[in-house]
Short mmCIF file of all heavy atoms in Angstrom, two decimals:
data_model
loop_
_atom_site.label_atom_id
_atom_site.label_comp_id
_atom_site.label_asym_id
_atom_site.label_seq_id
_atom_site.Cartn_x
_atom_site.Cartn_y
_atom_site.Cartn_z
N GLY A 1226 -8.34 -3.89 -3.74
CA GLY A 1226 -7.80 -2.89 -2.84
C GLY A 1226 -8.67 -2.51 -1.67
O GLY A 1226 -8.56 -1.39 -1.15
N ASN A 1227 -9.52 -3.42 -1.21
CA ASN A 1227 -10.41 -3.12 -0.08
C ASN A 1227 -9.80 -3.62 1.23
O ASN A 1227 -8.99 -4.55 1.25
CB ASN A 1227 -11.77 -3.79 -0.29
CG ASN A 1227 -12.44 -3.30 -1.56
OD1 ASN A 1227 -12.80 -2.13 -1.68
ND2 ASN A 1227 -12.62 -4.20 -2.52
N LEU A 1228 -10.22 -3.00 2.33
CA LEU A 1228 -9.78 -3.40 3.66
C LEU A 1228 -10.99 -3.90 4.43
O LEU A 1228 -11.98 -3.18 4.58
CB LEU A 1228 -9.14 -2.22 4.39
CG LEU A 1228 -8.59 -2.50 5.80
CD1 LEU A 1228 -7.47 -3.53 5.77
CD2 LEU A 1228 -8.10 -1.21 6.45
N TYR A 1229 -10.91 -5.15 4.92
CA TYR A 1229 -12.03 -5.78 5.62
C TYR A 1229 -11.64 -6.06 7.07
O TYR A 1229 -10.52 -6.49 7.35
CB TYR A 1229 -12.39 -7.11 4.95
CG TYR A 1229 -12.73 -7.02 3.48
CD1 TYR A 1229 -11.78 -7.33 2.50
CD2 TYR A 1229 -14.00 -6.66 3.05
CE1 TYR A 1229 -12.09 -7.27 1.15
CE2 TYR A 1229 -14.32 -6.60 1.70
CZ TYR A 1229 -13.35 -6.91 0.76
OH TYR A 1229 -13.66 -6.85 -0.58
N TRP A 1230 -12.61 -5.89 7.97
CA TRP A 1230 -12.35 -6.23 9.36
C TRP A 1230 -13.64 -6.54 10.09
O TRP A 1230 -14.61 -5.77 10.04
CB TRP A 1230 -11.63 -5.09 10.09
CG TRP A 1230 -11.17 -5.46 11.48
CD1 TRP A 1230 -11.63 -4.95 12.65
CD2 TRP A 1230 -10.19 -6.44 11.82
NE1 TRP A 1230 -10.98 -5.53 13.71
CE2 TRP A 1230 -10.08 -6.46 13.24
CE3 TRP A 1230 -9.38 -7.30 11.08
CZ2 TRP A 1230 -9.21 -7.30 13.91
CZ3 TRP A 1230 -8.51 -8.14 11.76
CH2 TRP A 1230 -8.44 -8.13 13.15
N ASP A 1231 -13.65 -7.71 10.77
CA ASP A 1231 -14.75 -8.10 11.64
C ASP A 1231 -14.28 -7.88 13.07
O ASP A 1231 -13.44 -8.63 13.59
CB ASP A 1231 -15.14 -9.56 11.40
CG ASP A 1231 -16.37 -9.97 12.19
OD1 ASP A 1231 -16.69 -9.31 13.20
OD2 ASP A 1231 -17.02 -10.96 11.81
N ALA A 1232 -14.81 -6.85 13.72
CA ALA A 1232 -14.36 -6.47 15.06
C ALA A 1232 -14.79 -7.47 16.12
O ALA A 1232 -14.31 -7.40 17.26
CB ALA A 1232 -14.89 -5.08 15.40
N SER A 1233 -15.67 -8.42 15.78
CA SER A 1233 -16.08 -9.42 16.76
C SER A 1233 -15.02 -10.50 16.94
O SER A 1233 -15.12 -11.31 17.86
CB SER A 1233 -17.40 -10.07 16.32
OG SER A 1233 -17.20 -10.92 15.20
N GLY A 1234 -14.04 -10.53 16.06
CA GLY A 1234 -12.99 -11.54 16.16
C GLY A 1234 -13.25 -12.79 15.33
O GLY A 1234 -12.41 -13.68 15.29
N ARG A 1235 -14.39 -12.87 14.68
CA ARG A 1235 -14.69 -14.04 13.85
C ARG A 1235 -13.86 -14.00 12.56
O ARG A 1235 -13.59 -12.91 12.03
CB ARG A 1235 -16.17 -14.06 13.46
CG ARG A 1235 -17.15 -14.07 14.60
CD ARG A 1235 -18.57 -13.89 14.06
NE ARG A 1235 -18.71 -12.61 13.37
CZ ARG A 1235 -19.77 -12.25 12.65
NH1 ARG A 1235 -20.79 -13.09 12.52
NH2 ARG A 1235 -19.82 -11.08 12.06
N PRO A 1236 -13.49 -15.16 12.02
CA PRO A 1236 -12.91 -15.15 10.68
C PRO A 1236 -13.97 -14.75 9.67
O PRO A 1236 -15.13 -15.16 9.78
CB PRO A 1236 -12.45 -16.60 10.49
CG PRO A 1236 -13.29 -17.40 11.43
CD PRO A 1236 -13.55 -16.53 12.61
N ILE A 1237 -13.60 -13.95 8.72
CA ILE A 1237 -14.57 -13.46 7.73
C ILE A 1237 -14.80 -14.53 6.67
O ILE A 1237 -13.87 -15.11 6.13
CB ILE A 1237 -14.08 -12.16 7.08
CG1 ILE A 1237 -13.90 -11.08 8.15
CG2 ILE A 1237 -15.07 -11.68 6.02
CD1 ILE A 1237 -13.33 -9.77 7.61
N ASP A 1238 -16.07 -14.76 6.37
CA ASP A 1238 -16.46 -15.71 5.34
C ASP A 1238 -16.55 -14.97 4.00
O ASP A 1238 -17.39 -14.10 3.81
CB ASP A 1238 -17.82 -16.31 5.70
CG ASP A 1238 -18.30 -17.37 4.70
OD1 ASP A 1238 -17.95 -17.27 3.52
OD2 ASP A 1238 -19.01 -18.29 5.13
N PHE A 1239 -15.65 -15.31 3.07
CA PHE A 1239 -15.66 -14.73 1.74
C PHE A 1239 -16.36 -15.70 0.78
O PHE A 1239 -15.71 -16.50 0.12
CB PHE A 1239 -14.24 -14.42 1.27
CG PHE A 1239 -13.61 -13.25 1.96
CD1 PHE A 1239 -12.94 -13.41 3.18
CD2 PHE A 1239 -13.69 -11.99 1.41
CE1 PHE A 1239 -12.36 -12.33 3.82
CE2 PHE A 1239 -13.11 -10.89 2.06
CZ PHE A 1239 -12.44 -11.06 3.27
N ALA A 1240 -17.69 -15.64 0.78
CA ALA A 1240 -18.48 -16.50 -0.10
C ALA A 1240 -18.11 -17.96 0.06
O ALA A 1240 -17.91 -18.69 -0.91
CB ALA A 1240 -18.32 -16.06 -1.55
N GLY A 1241 -18.01 -18.40 1.33
CA GLY A 1241 -17.69 -19.79 1.62
C GLY A 1241 -16.21 -20.12 1.59
O GLY A 1241 -15.83 -21.29 1.69
N MET A 1242 -15.36 -19.12 1.48
CA MET A 1242 -13.91 -19.33 1.40
C MET A 1242 -13.18 -18.52 2.46
O MET A 1242 -13.70 -17.52 2.97
CB MET A 1242 -13.39 -18.92 0.01
CG MET A 1242 -13.91 -19.74 -1.14
SD MET A 1242 -13.29 -19.09 -2.71
CE MET A 1242 -14.83 -18.61 -3.48
N THR A 1243 -11.96 -18.94 2.75
CA THR A 1243 -11.06 -18.10 3.52
C THR A 1243 -10.59 -16.96 2.61
O THR A 1243 -10.75 -17.00 1.38
CB THR A 1243 -9.85 -18.88 4.02
OG1 THR A 1243 -9.06 -19.29 2.89
CG2 THR A 1243 -10.29 -20.11 4.81
N PHE A 1244 -9.97 -15.96 3.22
CA PHE A 1244 -9.49 -14.84 2.42
C PHE A 1244 -8.42 -15.30 1.42
O PHE A 1244 -8.39 -14.85 0.27
CB PHE A 1244 -8.94 -13.75 3.33
CG PHE A 1244 -8.50 -12.51 2.60
CD1 PHE A 1244 -9.40 -11.82 1.80
CD2 PHE A 1244 -7.20 -12.04 2.71
CE1 PHE A 1244 -9.00 -10.67 1.11
CE2 PHE A 1244 -6.80 -10.89 2.03
CZ PHE A 1244 -7.71 -10.21 1.24
N GLU A 1245 -7.57 -16.22 1.86
CA GLU A 1245 -6.51 -16.72 0.97
C GLU A 1245 -7.12 -17.47 -0.20
O GLU A 1245 -6.71 -17.30 -1.36
CB GLU A 1245 -5.55 -17.62 1.75
CG GLU A 1245 -4.70 -16.90 2.79
CD GLU A 1245 -5.49 -16.47 4.02
OE1 GLU A 1245 -6.59 -17.04 4.27
OE2 GLU A 1245 -5.02 -15.55 4.73
N GLN A 1246 -8.12 -18.30 0.06
CA GLN A 1246 -8.79 -19.02 -1.02
C GLN A 1246 -9.51 -18.05 -1.97
O GLN A 1246 -9.51 -18.23 -3.18
CB GLN A 1246 -9.79 -20.03 -0.44
CG GLN A 1246 -9.15 -21.18 0.31
CD GLN A 1246 -10.17 -22.00 1.09
OE1 GLN A 1246 -11.22 -21.49 1.50
NE2 GLN A 1246 -9.86 -23.27 1.32
N TRP A 1247 -10.12 -17.04 -1.37
CA TRP A 1247 -10.83 -16.03 -2.14
C TRP A 1247 -9.89 -15.30 -3.10
O TRP A 1247 -10.17 -15.16 -4.30
CB TRP A 1247 -11.48 -15.06 -1.16
CG TRP A 1247 -12.21 -13.88 -1.71
CD1 TRP A 1247 -11.83 -12.58 -1.61
CD2 TRP A 1247 -13.46 -13.87 -2.41
NE1 TRP A 1247 -12.77 -11.75 -2.19
CE2 TRP A 1247 -13.77 -12.53 -2.69
CE3 TRP A 1247 -14.34 -14.86 -2.81
CZ2 TRP A 1247 -14.93 -12.15 -3.37
CZ3 TRP A 1247 -15.50 -14.50 -3.48
CH2 TRP A 1247 -15.79 -13.16 -3.77
N GLN A 1248 -8.74 -14.87 -2.59
CA GLN A 1248 -7.79 -14.18 -3.45
C GLN A 1248 -7.21 -15.10 -4.51
O GLN A 1248 -6.87 -14.65 -5.61
CB GLN A 1248 -6.67 -13.55 -2.62
CG GLN A 1248 -7.10 -12.30 -1.87
CD GLN A 1248 -5.92 -11.54 -1.30
OE1 GLN A 1248 -5.07 -12.13 -0.62
NE2 GLN A 1248 -5.85 -10.25 -1.55
N ALA A 1249 -7.11 -16.38 -4.20
CA ALA A 1249 -6.57 -17.34 -5.17
C ALA A 1249 -7.48 -17.47 -6.40
O ALA A 1249 -7.02 -17.89 -7.46
CB ALA A 1249 -6.38 -18.70 -4.52
N THR A 1250 -8.75 -17.10 -6.26
CA THR A 1250 -9.66 -17.13 -7.42
C THR A 1250 -9.50 -15.90 -8.30
O THR A 1250 -10.15 -15.80 -9.34
CB THR A 1250 -11.13 -17.22 -6.95
OG1 THR A 1250 -11.51 -15.98 -6.32
CG2 THR A 1250 -11.33 -18.37 -5.99
N GLY A 1251 -8.68 -14.95 -7.85
CA GLY A 1251 -8.49 -13.72 -8.60
C GLY A 1251 -9.25 -12.53 -8.04
O GLY A 1251 -9.17 -11.42 -8.57
N LYS A 1252 -9.98 -12.77 -6.97
CA LYS A 1252 -10.76 -11.70 -6.35
C LYS A 1252 -9.90 -10.88 -5.38
O LYS A 1252 -8.99 -11.38 -4.74
CB LYS A 1252 -11.96 -12.28 -5.59
CG LYS A 1252 -13.03 -12.90 -6.47
CD LYS A 1252 -13.80 -11.85 -7.23
CE LYS A 1252 -15.00 -12.46 -7.96
NZ LYS A 1252 -15.74 -11.44 -8.73
N ASP A 1253 -10.25 -9.60 -5.24
CA ASP A 1253 -9.69 -8.72 -4.22
C ASP A 1253 -8.17 -8.62 -4.28
O ASP A 1253 -7.47 -8.68 -3.26
CB ASP A 1253 -10.15 -9.17 -2.83
CG ASP A 1253 -11.36 -8.37 -2.35
OD1 ASP A 1253 -11.34 -7.14 -2.46
OD2 ASP A 1253 -12.34 -9.00 -1.89
N ALA A 1254 -7.64 -8.44 -5.47
CA ALA A 1254 -6.20 -8.18 -5.59
C ALA A 1254 -5.86 -6.90 -4.85
O ALA A 1254 -6.54 -5.88 -4.97
CB ALA A 1254 -5.83 -8.05 -7.06
N GLY A 1255 -4.82 -6.96 -4.04
CA GLY A 1255 -4.40 -5.79 -3.27
C GLY A 1255 -5.23 -5.51 -2.05
O GLY A 1255 -4.98 -4.50 -1.36
N SER A 1256 -6.20 -6.35 -1.74
CA SER A 1256 -7.02 -6.16 -0.53
C SER A 1256 -6.36 -6.81 0.67
O SER A 1256 -5.47 -7.65 0.55
CB SER A 1256 -8.42 -6.73 -0.75
OG SER A 1256 -9.10 -6.06 -1.79
N ARG A 1257 -6.85 -6.42 1.86
CA ARG A 1257 -6.31 -6.96 3.10
C ARG A 1257 -7.43 -7.20 4.10
O ARG A 1257 -8.51 -6.58 4.02
CB ARG A 1257 -5.29 -6.01 3.74
CG ARG A 1257 -3.98 -5.84 3.00
CD ARG A 1257 -3.06 -4.91 3.77
NE ARG A 1257 -2.78 -5.42 5.11
CZ ARG A 1257 -2.09 -4.74 6.04
NH1 ARG A 1257 -1.65 -3.51 5.78
NH2 ARG A 1257 -1.87 -5.28 7.24
N VAL A 1258 -7.15 -8.09 5.06
CA VAL A 1258 -7.99 -8.23 6.25
C VAL A 1258 -7.18 -7.71 7.41
O VAL A 1258 -6.17 -8.30 7.80
CB VAL A 1258 -8.40 -9.70 6.48
CG1 VAL A 1258 -9.15 -9.84 7.80
CG2 VAL A 1258 -9.26 -10.21 5.33
N ALA A 1259 -7.59 -6.55 7.95
CA ALA A 1259 -6.83 -5.92 9.05
C ALA A 1259 -7.70 -4.86 9.69
O ALA A 1259 -8.61 -4.30 9.06
CB ALA A 1259 -5.53 -5.30 8.53
N ASP A 1260 -7.43 -4.57 10.95
CA ASP A 1260 -8.12 -3.52 11.68
C ASP A 1260 -7.74 -2.17 11.07
O ASP A 1260 -6.55 -1.83 11.02
CB ASP A 1260 -7.73 -3.57 13.15
CG ASP A 1260 -8.56 -2.64 14.02
OD1 ASP A 1260 -9.19 -1.71 13.48
OD2 ASP A 1260 -8.58 -2.86 15.25
N PRO A 1261 -8.70 -1.38 10.60
CA PRO A 1261 -8.35 -0.09 9.99
C PRO A 1261 -7.89 0.95 11.00
O PRO A 1261 -7.40 2.01 10.61
CB PRO A 1261 -9.65 0.35 9.33
CG PRO A 1261 -10.72 -0.34 10.10
CD PRO A 1261 -10.14 -1.66 10.52
N LEU A 1262 -8.06 0.65 12.29
CA LEU A 1262 -7.64 1.56 13.35
C LEU A 1262 -8.39 2.90 13.28
O LEU A 1262 -7.81 3.97 13.19
CB LEU A 1262 -6.13 1.78 13.32
CG LEU A 1262 -5.26 0.52 13.52
CD1 LEU A 1262 -3.79 0.87 13.46
CD2 LEU A 1262 -5.60 -0.17 14.84
N PHE A 1263 -9.71 2.79 13.34
CA PHE A 1263 -10.51 4.00 13.56
C PHE A 1263 -10.23 4.53 14.95
O PHE A 1263 -9.89 3.77 15.87
CB PHE A 1263 -11.99 3.69 13.41
CG PHE A 1263 -12.43 3.34 12.01
CD1 PHE A 1263 -13.11 2.16 11.75
CD2 PHE A 1263 -12.17 4.20 10.96
CE1 PHE A 1263 -13.54 1.85 10.47
CE2 PHE A 1263 -12.59 3.89 9.66
CZ PHE A 1263 -13.25 2.71 9.42
#
């Protein structure tokens, strides 16, 4: 259930994986990659 965002525009590296690959391992269920809009 975490929200991740890299404001530099780079794709985020999830331990050598894309976010989709990362979630496919069972990690970060309910999490998202999105601008939190501070």
Side-chain angles (χ1 to χ4, degrees):
N1227 300 295
L1228 181 62
Y1229 303 99
W1230 188 246
D1231 186 338
S1233 72
R1235 302 172 299 171
I1237 300 176
D1238 183 329
F1239 287 86
M1242 296 177 243
T1243 66
F1244 184 57
E1245 292 73 20
Q1246 292 169 333
W1247 176 248
Q1248 285 192 310
T1250 69
K1252 292 288 188 181
D1253 263 313
S1256 297
R1257 291 182 59 186
V1258 174
D1260 189 340
L1262 299 180
F1263 292 126

